[in-house]
Amino acid sequence: MDQMGIRYNIWIVLLTFALVSAAVYAAVNLLSQVSRSAGKIRRMWMLSASCVLGSGLWAMHYIGIMAGRLPFEVSYQPGKALLSLLVCMLSSYAAFWVVFAHRLKLWQAGAGGLLLGVGSSAMHDIGMSSIVLEGGIRYPILSQVISILAAVLMSSMGLYLLRKFKDHPSFNKWKLYFAILIGLSVTGLHYFSLRASQWEYYKGPGSSSLLMDTDVILLSGVSIVTVLMLAVSGGAVFLDRHVLERMAYHDPLTGLPNRHGLERYFLGDFFGGTSGAVFFVDLDRFKSINDTLGHDIGDMLLQEVAKRLEGCVGTMGKVFRLGGDEFLIALPMCSVPEAEEVAERILQELKHFYSIQGNELYVTASVGISLTPLHGTDRSSLMKAADTALYTSKDSGKNKYSIFDQEMNRHQLRRMSLEKDLRKALARSEFMVVYQPKWDSLLNVTVGLEALLRWRHPEHGIISPSEFIPIAEETGLIVPITYWMLHDVCSQNRLWHQEEVANVAVSVNMSARMFEGNGLYEVVEEALAESGLEPHFLELEITESIAMNNMEETVAQLSKLRLLGVRVSLDDFGTGFSSLGNLDEIPVNTLKIDQVFIRKSKLHSKKAIISNIIAIASNLNMDVVAEGVETTEQIELLQSLGCRVMQGYYYGRPMPVNELGQWFIENTAVS
């Protein structure tokens, strides 16, 4: 029996080094996506990196054996060769799972290095045992121990160094240096282990020194695995660039960049110039289109809006969809006059009609604008400022644009503070009800009261209803507040009846929010039952917009309340969007003439409108009440037109309960 070492073909040795370095670089590139992903996608990236690294190490092992020049024939067992490949891939995956399970620490790098190092050594040993030759291989214990320890140490160090660039998917020179270093270490360790192995054979040497005679199957397998390694790496990069990246950074409905795309854009492209503008664009009353025509029509409308916005911006900047009906436009180079011009173009373009599946739709938008560096030098500040300006556009009537200023900021901060306090106001008993009389100008008696909500803020005093009611409406807090108010008003009115102070109906203003569910009837019935008040002494005031929004459902709820005995009045009549053709379908007892007509009643046009409203009410057997009456001239005009019941400062301001009792006595109210 003879024993001899191995000589190597230097070009194949260099090939193995290049193969391992490429595999390491590709695997690190794939691993850079792990921290940016979650769930199945995260596991997919780790599995891809494991396949690339494992197949690279495996191919290097067998090509390394082929690099040796042996004077005898060898062959391989395909099963063991395949097993060694699986062991290397699985150990790589296990190591990556440990390293990326939590924030990378030294012990994790050690544990991952142990798994990867032992797995690589096991792959090497299984691979060597797959060799079939007329002889044997002996492994000195010391060299084997050194090889395993070196593999574990090298793997641990490599995994620990990953923290430097594991979150950088793009090219990085340190990533390349790392791949070359690991490539040198792995190939060096491989050839050290081969050199330390002692090959024994029984037949004499042949006549020539040739490359090892390798099975065709193994050669094909190594070639296929190498191609697979490159294919997995290239395919993953393609998937990331063209599929996953688009999924992550683009809105699937409109194709516009989304919030993630917005962050990337601001980091890389927006702040390159000396000035720039950010536009928040929000569609007005988009919810009503979704509610009436369905979400499919709404989605198609959003797609058309996206196209029009892109047309308005062109090559000047970029359009993003933030979600719902909210869009953001970023213009990297934009002055104040240019921003105003773009905003005007957006408003004009969006309000043109849309033809979608036979529906002719109209929609407007509100726009808020902020500019850099005037309003901020980072994405968060600019978006906050633009959002604040958007609220100003919404509050001032919609279909407008506003450029941020500090007064808006103060207004928004106060609004946020009031919203926070409003959520606690009911529990802290900060609300109170005041009452304004409704006066019969012919009989000179009180014929009703309107209950009005007031908020006594512990720091700011009395907050105007025009300031806190819209907040309560938007947040939905108006619903529990109205529940409380109904109970309080019914109880107070019942108390006046018992004390024989007054015997009139009291009206309570209803919010559209109260009609969104089907619980209004139960709430009113409960308030009446608990107080013991007869239903006809309670009146619910609704506006035209409430009546016309989901009219069929609203009419059904009001009809049910009318059958209970509760009265209904239509407030602010003439200022809303209702059709006179529908007025007779709404179960209403009283029409209230809005004070805007009374205030300008000297104008012939307003006088004509008032006269017609009174005539309509008379023909439909409805009562009529004029709001905002303040002068004797207004009283005389209303009386001449046939209106006798009036409400306004001339007869009495809104008063708290303790003042109203004395007012009743002084004005000889009906008892």
Side-chain angles (χ1 to χ4, degrees):
M1 184 177 69
D2 295 322
Q3 182 175 337
M4 67 180 300
I6 306 174
R7 290 174 295 161
Y8 298 95
N9 183 314
I10 188 61
W11 298 110
I12 300 182
V13 171
L14 291 175
L15 175 63
T16 57
F17 160 69
L19 182 64
V20 172
S21 298
V24 171
Y25 186 87
V28 171
N29 235 21
L30 295 171
L31 289 173
S32 64
Q33 303 288 346
V34 172
S35 58
R36 304 163 60 197
S37 310
K40 293 181 179 179
I41 300 296
R42 181 185 178 91
R43 291 192 291 273
M44 185 204 74
W45 286 118
M46 285 197 289
L47 185 60
S48 300
S50 304
C51 291
V52 168
L53 183 62
S55 59
L57 295 176
W58 182 85
M60 178 275 299
H61 169 82
Y62 281 100
I63 293 174
I65 295 176
M66 285 184 255
R69 295 179 179 271
L70 291 173
F72 50 84
E73 292 184 357
V74 295
S75 59
Y76 299 85
Q77 299 178 24
K80 286 188 176 181
L82 182 60
L83 177 62
S84 65
L85 172 63
L86 293 175
V87 166
C88 197
M89 288 181 175
L90 289 173
S91 64
S92 299
Y93 183 83
F96 296 152
W97 187 86
V98 170
V99 167
F100 285 92
H102 304 283
R103 193 176 184 86
L104 184 57
K105 297 179 181 177
L106 187 59
W107 72 267
Q108 289 174 270
L114 180 64
L115 289 167
L116 184 57
V118 170
S120 301
S121 298
M123 179 273 295
H124 178 85
D125 291 341
I126 295 171
M128 294 298 289
S129 70
S130 71
I131 298 175
V132 178
L133 71 162
E134 295 174 350
I137 308 173
R138 288 195 302 123
Y139 306 99
I141 297 298
L142 181 60
S143 64
Q144 288 297 99
V145 171
I146 291 173
S147 297
I148 295 173
L149 291 176
V152 171
L153 180 61
M154 178 185 65
S155 301
S156 300
M157 290 177 61
L159 291 172
Y160 190 68
L161 287 173
L162 268 179
R163 77 190 197 283
K164 293 291 186 183
F165 38 75
K166 67 182 180 70
D167 297 329
H168 297 82
S170 56
F171 175 79
N172 184 296
K173 64 179 181 179
W174 293 107
K175 200 187 295 185
L176 180 61
Y177 297 157
F178 173 79
I180 292 172
L181 178 63
I182 297 297
L184 283 171
S185 303
V186 169
T187 51
L189 189 61
H190 172 76
Y191 288 111
F192 167 78
S193 181
L194 282 180
R195 290 291 295 179
S197 304
Q198 297 175 359
W199 297 68
E200 300 173 345
Y201 60 93
Y202 301 101
K203 290 188 177 182
S207 58
S208 63
S209 179
L210 302 171
L211 284 174
M212 292 172 62
D213 235 344
T214 309
D215 285 347
V216 174
I217 294 177
L218 183 64
L219 265 175
S220 302
V222 171
S223 302
I224 291 171
V225 167
T226 304
V227 172
L228 176 66
M229 180 189 77
L230 297 174
V232 168
S233 179
V237 170
F238 177 85
L239 182 68
D240 177 53
R241 294 285 185 271
H242 296 87
V243 179
L244 295 179
E245 179 172 322
R246 184 162 187 83
M247 290 171 60
Y249 293 100
H250 288 78
D251 170 52
L253 177 64
T254 62
L256 297 174
N258 59 14
R259 286 183 180 272
H260 300 299
L262 174 67
E263 291 176 13
R264 187 166 65 170
Y265 179 77
F266 270 81
L267 285 173
D269 301 322
F270 183 76
F271 292 107
T274 56
S275 63
V278 171
F279 297 69
F280 252 129
V281 182
D282 187 85
L283 302 183
D284 301 325
R285 301 185 183 91
F286 175 74
K287 184 177 182 296
S288 63
I289 294 175
N290 265 345
D291 291 343
T292 54
L293 299 178
H295 287 271
D296 290 340
I297 299 294
D299 287 347
M300 284 185 268
L301 175 61
L302 289 174
Q303 290 171 335
E304 290 298 317
V305 168
K307 291 176 185 176
R308 293 191 186 185
L309 289 176
E310 286 187 301
C312 292
V313 173
T315 58
M316 295 173 59
K318 214 166 185 66
V319 183
F320 304 84
R321 184 187 177 211
L322 303 184
D325 60 342
E326 291 184 341
F327 296 85
L328 184 140
I329 297 172
L331 304 183
M333 295 292 294
C334 186
S335 62
V336 174
E338 289 171 333
E340 292 178 335
E341 183 182 337
V342 171
E344 288 283 2
R345 192 158 64 240
I346 289 170
L347 294 178
Q348 290 299 320
E349 187 65 27
L350 292 187
K351 72 179 183 181
H352 293 156
F353 82 91
Y354 301 79
S355 180
I356 299 176
Q357 290 195 347
N359 297 288
E360 187 174 303
L361 304 179
Y362 292 86
V363 67
T364 59
S366 298
V367 180
I369 306 171
S370 63
L371 296 109
T372 179
L374 186 61
H375 303 135
T377 55
D378 60 272
R379 177 184 60 84
S380 179
S381 299
L382 291 170
M383 289 181 66
K384 179 182 175 184
D387 194 33
T388 300
L390 174 66
Y391 270 102
T392 301
S393 298
K394 289 278 191 184
D395 292 343
S396 58
K398 303 181 175 62
N399 193 29
K400 297 178 180 179
Y401 72 86
S402 303
I403 298 177
F404 176 80
D405 60 38
Q406 289 303 320
E407 181 59 35
M408 290 181 190
N409 193 41
R410 285 190 288 272
H411 173 75
Q412 186 66 10
L413 289 174
R414 176 176 170 85
R415 189 187 185 285
M416 291 172 61
S417 175
L418 289 179
E419 180 181 333
K420 175 174 65 71
D421 295 341
L422 191 62
R423 296 181 181 278
K424 307 170 186 175
L426 193 58
R428 294 176 177 176
S429 302
E430 293 173 4
F431 291 115
M432 61 179 288
V433 179
V434 295
Y435 298 86
Q436 187 173 30
K438 297 176 185 178
W439 191 264
D440 188 320
S441 61
L442 295 181
L443 297 177
N444 279 327
V445 294
T446 304
V447 291
L449 296 168
E450 180 178 359
L452 300 166
L453 186 67
R454 296 291 184 267
W455 180 16
R456 295 170 298 189
H457 194 282
E459 295 179 16
H460 306 302
I462 299 295
I463 306 295
S464 169
S466 62
E467 188 173 14
F468 77 84
I469 292 294
I471 300 174
E473 293 267 6
E474 185 178 329
T475 58
L477 293 171
I478 194 67
V479 174
I481 292 172
T482 306
Y483 286 177
W484 168 83
M485 190 174 178
L486 280 168
H487 282 266
D488 188 78
V489 167
C490 289
S491 298
Q492 182 60 54
N493 199 10
R494 174 60 178 160
L495 184 62
W496 282 328
H497 291 182
Q498 290 174 338
E499 295 177 351
E500 297 184 349
V501 173
N503 194 33
V504 296
V506 180
S507 61
V508 179
N509 291 283
M510 291 289 105
S511 161
R513 291 271 193 166
M514 299 296 295
F515 291 86
E516 288 179 355
N518 293 315
L520 180 59
Y521 178 87
E522 286 74 16
V523 171
V524 171
E525 187 180 41
E526 180 184 332
L528 292 170
E530 286 189 3
S531 63
L533 183 70
E534 294 178 43
H536 65 274
F537 285 116
L538 175 65
E539 184 175 66
L540 305 183
E541 287 196 11
I542 63 170
T543 61
E544 287 183 70
S545 58
I546 293 175
M548 298 307 298
N549 182 35
N550 196 4
M551 183 174 172
E552 185 177 340
E553 178 61 32
T554 303
V555 167
Q557 293 190 59
L558 291 176
S559 299
K560 193 175 178 182
L561 287 164
R562 283 282 302 276
L563 289 174
L564 182 65
V566 175
R567 295 175 58 82
V568 178
S569 65
L570 189 60
D571 198 9
D572 303 335
F573 185 74
T575 63
F577 306 97
S578 64
S579 166
L580 289 177
N582 295 323
L583 184 59
D584 62 330
E585 299 176 23
I586 306 171
V588 170
N589 299 94
T590 305
L591 288 185
K592 298 188 75 174
I593 305 172
D594 190 78
Q595 58 184 323
V596 69
F597 302 116
I598 307 301
R599 197 179 301 124
K600 299 179 180 180
S601 57
K602 291 182 179 180
L603 297 175
H604 178 73
S605 59
K606 302 300 182 187
K607 189 184 301 182
I609 292 173
I610 294 171
S611 177
N612 280 304
I613 292 174
I614 295 171
I616 290 170
S618 176
N619 290 328
L620 293 176
N621 293 319
M622 296 179 183
D623 298 328
V624 63
V625 176
E627 295 182 299
V629 177
E630 297 181 354
T631 66
T632 54
E633 290 83 359
Q634 292 169 348
I635 295 171
E636 290 170 0
L637 172 66
L638 289 166
Q639 287 177 337
S640 68
L641 294 175
C643 176
R644 56 190 289 176
V645 179
M646 305 175 195
Q647 178 182 347
Y649 283 5
Y650 183 89
Y651 292 107
R653 294 174 177 269
M655 293 168 277
V657 173
N658 58 340
E659 294 181 17
L660 193 61
Q662 183 61 32
W663 184 92
F664 276 130
I665 295 171
E666 293 174 357
N667 289 274
T668 60
V670 174
S671 56

